[in-house]
């Protein structure tokens, strides 16, 4: 019995070590705060560990864990946990325009995108993060969110439309495409 538990613990540990960065990134994009993301991933992994035999035998354990994480995030949001990606008032800060080929400029672009993501409603943010950051299919995203493919399409389209409507962000995306060429 001890050998089976040790083997299960080693499988779980291997899973966590291999998936931690991706799970943390997804959690950060959902919560908008590093500490909240770490808490979300840790509480998710606590739930998953208890049911590891069932999770490990699933067709796609990573999708199963992602679903648990999204459900945990949704429960927290329903409790009206305040989320933020950037300080609410940075109007007094002077903004320097960096060279677009510079790593600092890329960090600024990322900051602008994270700030814009913070303005999306939770379901739209989930759809955008899973579809475009995690590069999941519409079907995988629907499974992760626990909704229909149509809801994913609708939420993702509305989220992307809102992001495109932000003038500074639209310029960032356009200039970012030029850099990749």
């Amino acid at each position: 019995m001890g050998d089976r538990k040790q083997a299960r613990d080693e499988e779980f540990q291997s899973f966590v070590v291999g998936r931690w960065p991706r799970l943390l990134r997804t959690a950060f994009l959902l919560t908008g705060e590093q500490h909240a993301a770490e808490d979300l991933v840790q509480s998710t992994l606590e739930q998953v560990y208890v049911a590891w035999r069932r999770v490990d035998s699933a067709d796609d354990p990573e999708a199963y864990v992602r679903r648990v994480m999204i459900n945990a995030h949704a429960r927290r949001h329903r409790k009206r946990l305040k989320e933020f990606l950037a300080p609410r008032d940075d109007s007094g800060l002077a903004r320097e325009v960096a060279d677009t080929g510079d790593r600092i400029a890329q960090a600024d672009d990322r900051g602008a995108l994270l700030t814009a993501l913070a303005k999306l409603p939770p379901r739209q943010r989930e759809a955008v993060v899973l579809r475009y950051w995690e590069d999941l299919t519409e079907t995988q995203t629907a499974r992760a969110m626990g909704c229909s493919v149509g809801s994913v399409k609708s939420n993702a389209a509305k989220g992307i439309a809102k992001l495109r409507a932000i003038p500074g962000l639209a310029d960032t995306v356009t200039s970012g495409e030029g850099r990749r060429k």
Side-chain angles (χ1 to χ4, degrees), residues 75-94:
R75 277 191 304 276
R76 287 181 180 182
H77 185 269
R78 279 193 293 268
K79 292 178 183 178
R80 301 202 185 271
L81 176 69
K82 291 188 177 184
E83 300 173 355
F84 62 93
L85 288 174
R88 292 181 189 266
D89 184 21
D90 63 354
S91 57
L93 298 177

Side-chain angles (χ1 to χ4, degrees), residues 4 12-13 23 33 48 55 61 65 93 101 105 131 146 153 179:
R4 280 189 283 173
F12 179 75
Q13 183 178 8
L23 291 171
E33 185 180 47
V48 167
V55 174
V65 172
L93 298 177
R131 282 286 292 132
K153 289 179 180 181
R179 274 189 294 218

Side-chain angles (χ1 to χ4, degrees), residues 96 98-109 179:
E96 179 181 335
D99 179 15
T100 57
D102 187 355
R103 287 285 202 202
I104 300 296
Q106 291 172 359
D108 288 345
D109 293 350
R179 274 189 294 218

Side-chain angles (χ1 to χ4, degrees), residues 21-172:
R22 188 170 185 158
L23 291 171
L24 189 59
R25 180 186 68 200
T26 301
F28 177 78
L29 292 169
L30 291 172
T31 65
E33 185 180 47
Q34 186 68 28
H35 296 296
E38 290 171 357
D39 288 346
L40 179 59
V41 173
Q42 288 175 2
S43 64
T44 298
L45 291 174
E46 287 174 8
Q47 291 177 347
V48 167
Y49 176 74
V50 172
W52 182 246
R53 242 184 279 153
R54 185 174 59 234
V55 174
D56 193 37
S57 64
D59 290 339
D60 187 356
E62 188 171 350
Y64 190 107
V65 172
R66 189 181 307 112
R67 174 61 191 240
V68 171
M69 184 167 57
I70 289 171
N71 287 342
H73 173 68
R75 277 191 304 276
R76 287 181 180 182
H77 185 269
R78 279 193 293 268
K79 292 178 183 178
R80 301 202 185 271
L81 176 69
K82 291 188 177 184
E83 300 173 355
F84 62 93
L85 288 174
R88 292 181 189 266
D89 184 21
D90 63 354
S91 57
L93 298 177
R95 296 284 181 204
E96 179 181 335
V97 178
D99 179 15
T100 57
D102 187 355
R103 287 285 202 202
I104 300 296
Q106 291 172 359
D108 288 345
D109 293 350
R110 178 181 167 87
L113 183 56
L114 292 175
T115 301
L117 272 174
K119 295 176 183 175
L120 295 179
R123 293 299 277 182
Q124 289 177 13
R125 185 186 322 165
E126 288 173 4
V128 169
V129 166
L130 293 173
R131 282 286 292 132
Y132 301 103
W133 236 295
E134 290 297 319
D135 201 27
L136 299 181
T137 65
E138 289 169 342
T139 304
Q140 291 170 324
T141 302
R143 245 184 269 128
M145 291 176 64
C147 63
S148 68
V149 172
S151 291
V152 168
K153 289 179 180 181
S154 174
N155 281 308
K158 288 175 184 174
I160 292 296
K162 286 181 182 179
L163 293 175
R164 286 184 178 146
I166 299 171
L169 189 60
D171 296 341
T172 298

